[in-house]
Amino acid sequence: MERVLFVDIADVESAGVDVPDAESAVIDIPDGESAVITLKFRPVRTKANSSGQQHLAFKKARGRKRRTDSVADILKVYEMSLLQFKRLAAVRSLYLIATPLGISGRKRKVKNEIVEGCHVPVLLPNGDGWHASEVLSIKEVNGKSLFYIHYEDYNKRLDEWVPIERMDLSKLEQPKKDIKTPIKKEGGVGSSRIPNGGTESRPNTPEREIYENGSMQSLGLSISGAMKVHTGCDGFGSRKRKLDEDTDSQDAPLAPRQTGSMVSHHDDIITRMKNINLIEFGKWRIKPWYFSPYPQELTTLPILYICEYCLKYLKSAKCLERHLAKCLYKHPPGNEIYRKDKISVFEIDGRKNKQYAQHLCLLAKLFLDHKTLYFDTDPFLFYCLCEHDAQGYHLVGFFSKEKESAEDFNVACILTMPPYQRMGYGKVLIEFSYELSKVECKTGSPEKPLSDLGLLSYRSYWSQTILEILLNLKPNESGERPCITINEISEMTSIKKDDVISTLQHLNLINYYKGQYIITLSDEQIQTQERAMAKRPIRIDPKCLHWQPKDWNKRGKW
Ligand code: ACO
Ligand code: ZN
């Protein structure tokens, strides 16, 4: 049974894109009306009503029982953001058709109905057992339902679309009453941050698929439970921007910058789901791990093409080809502040090279989840590490850094591009960040929270750096055991004192002996350290760093 309900939006007709505040709209919905979760919409003509007002027509079908009596409720029920709603309202005469949840056309018993927020065991992609999962979204492809699921306790990058056959429906649990799991309301700035040093979930890593020149190269990552990431996301973007394929007008949308260098994002149903299928970046094809607010129209493309030099995004290979013919970049903008062998590092000012910085943030967001990207890039510097060859400078990774950090953060965000991960570049970037801190005569620490992989990399870097110092200590002149303080380690390495202490504790090196603290290293630890250092082929050579810190304080405005 379908019903048509009307939402009066005053002056939609004349409002054009500038729609009046949707909250003030009056919604005429009879009592006891049932509502549904999923929405499909298509523009149709509707007539102005008798009072000359335009209507948005919501055509509803039966589904989950829910009373709706305000725009806020409608948005909640339909899981639309106000922004989307306004966008829809801005398109004159919009007609929304709500479809029942579950498998379309078939009447299902409510207790077996798969709705968003359901919990159900899902067969892992490698067939290696079942794992508790939560259904985040449902879509239909060629008449077949697919369910976007999140494996509980695993990192979001493993989320994927699965068919019903992968679910153990005998253990299906309906969402708990009044708790709408897919939507977490934002509780203010940084509210969803994880406590210092915390990680979101286990550091499981998907067996990422990376294609070089069209051929697949599996990285064969080794952590248990490794799974292939399947992205087939429906692609709702939360921000709509025009893709101007051949012009240079790709200004990222402006979102207000909040406090801190980064702010946790609205963890809503849209940003919880991957929205880009695949990117082509230089010679690589890479499956994204997380949502990134690229323009909505790009989310339905099989491949998003990104110029590896200026980071502009394009919708087809043809557009990329045309772009490359005229792209002026062969390396990131800004100053090359480091060069040794085939490695270069460029410093980019987020104010002077705003567009590049914004594109870099968009790209990085595909692989960074725990922090949102920022469109106000002015307060940041970006350090891009490239490998160069005859073609140009290929982006390997980068980190961003606040020009001024009250908390002594020396890294805001750090990323190694997936094809280069697990080759030691993360530690090269981290080492570079500490070399900058040494020149500044400061100690520094990465901004929290760290991701699972971020924590692994920092732990590994801190351990190796501190052990390297300890192992190089010589006995004093009278042949006594060498002595060093935490402060000295911190000063020598620029690693913040707290991080030195937590690393020593993590390595279980501190012992209390005869009234004093001593550090004891086992033979095994020494050997492990020697092996680990031998595996670090690229080290930062401070002699090749040509950089002077700027006093941003004196400059007034960045
Ligand atoms: N599984 C297990 N261990 C891993 C993995 C993985 N997938 N990736 C890295 N590691 C370990 C490595 O084994 C290594 O430890 P080891 O020397 O003890 O063996 C250590 O982490 C560092 O490895 P690198 O090869 O130097 O680091 P990589 O180039 O892979 O980059 C990084 C690490 C930057 C964290 C990368 O994984 C990444 O870009 N991830 C996505 C974005 C992200 O999470 N960034 C950090 C956010 S925190 C922040 O921004 C402050
Ligand atoms: Zn370009």
Side-chain angles (χ1 to χ4, degrees), residues 155 157 203-206 208 221-223 262 289-290 364 367-371 396-400 411-418 420-430 445-461 464 532 535-536:
N155 191 286
R157 58 182 171 266
N204 282 3
T205 302
R208 292 182 287 273
L221 297 164
S222 60
I223 289 205
M262 308 272 265
W289 298 359
Y290 308 112
F367 307 102
L368 262 166
D369 176 51
H370 63 303
K371 291 172 174 174
V396 169
F398 84 100
F399 66 89
S400 54
V411 164
C413 246
I414 185 165
L415 171 83
T416 302
M417 291 299 290
Y420 296 95
Q421 282 177 8
R422 302 211 72 181
M423 293 157 78
Y425 286 108
K427 268 184 282 191
V428 174
L429 285 165
I430 295 172
S445 187
E447 190 181 295
K448 314 300 177 304
L450 297 176
S451 67
D452 52 356
L453 298 177
L455 183 63
L456 276 175
S457 306
Y458 269 96
R459 278 239 172 97
S460 170
Y461 174 80
Q464 291 177 6
K535 274 201 293 180
R536 274 176 69 173

Side-chain angles (χ1 to χ4, degrees), residues 147-322:
F147 304 86
Y148 193 84
I149 55 107
H150 168 66
Y151 294 101
E152 285 162 32
D153 299 325
Y154 284 155
N155 191 286
K156 249 197 264 180
R157 58 182 171 266
L158 301 170
D159 294 0
E160 59 174 340
W161 288 100
V162 299
I164 199 160
E165 294 76 28
R166 291 257 306 272
M167 296 174 162
D168 181 354
L169 293 179
S170 66
K171 299 197 177 126
L172 181 74
E173 280 174 37
Q174 292 298 322
K176 301 221 168 55
K177 260 197 175 161
D178 298 323
I179 301 173
K180 202 146 188 301
T181 36
I183 296 181
K184 276 193 214 145
K185 282 269 173 275
E186 201 201 22
V189 175
S191 61
S192 55
R193 282 184 177 196
I194 298 150
N196 275 5
T199 57
E200 264 178 283
S201 53
R202 293 188 214 173
N204 282 3
T205 302
E207 193 175 288
R208 292 182 287 273
E209 286 169 0
I210 293 170
Y211 303 83
E212 185 177 2
N213 293 333
S215 69
M216 195 185 98
Q217 183 205 328
S218 168
L219 288 184
L221 297 164
S222 60
I223 289 205
S224 67
M227 290 179 262
K228 255 187 196 169
V229 172
H230 162 86
T231 51
C233 187
D234 216 352
F236 304 31
S238 68
R239 296 162 204 268
K240 189 171 161 68
R241 256 174 298 143
K242 195 177 173 323
L243 171 65
D244 193 349
E245 52 187 58
D246 249 343
T247 68
D248 286 333
S249 61
Q250 289 200 342
D251 288 329
L254 278 177
R257 179 171 181 262
Q258 299 170 50
T259 65
S261 68
M262 308 272 265
V263 181
S264 295
H265 58 65
H266 301 240
D267 195 6
D268 58 24
I269 192 64
I270 291 169
T271 58
R272 272 185 93 178
M273 290 166 55
K274 297 164 199 178
N275 59 334
I276 301 290
N277 280 320
L278 194 64
I279 61 164
E280 185 171 302
F281 185 75
K283 63 180 176 177
W284 309 100
R285 286 198 176 166
I286 312 168
K287 285 215 175 243
W289 298 359
Y290 308 112
F291 172 90
S292 179
Y294 280 99
Q296 193 188 1
E297 60 267 35
L298 302 183
T299 60
T300 48
L301 297 173
I303 303 174
L304 178 64
Y305 296 83
I306 298 175
C307 171
E308 64 165 323
Y309 301 117
C310 71
L311 310 184
K312 197 177 155 123
Y313 45 81
L314 299 121
K315 66 178 181 187
S316 68
K318 192 92 211 129
C319 291
L320 177 66
E321 197 185 307
R322 278 208 301 268

Side-chain angles (χ1 to χ4, degrees), residues 30 71 120 161 196 216 305 322 468 480 498 503:
V71 167
V120 63
W161 288 100
N196 275 5
M216 195 185 98
Y305 296 83
R322 278 208 301 268
E468 190 174 41
E480 285 168 3
D498 290 352
T503 306

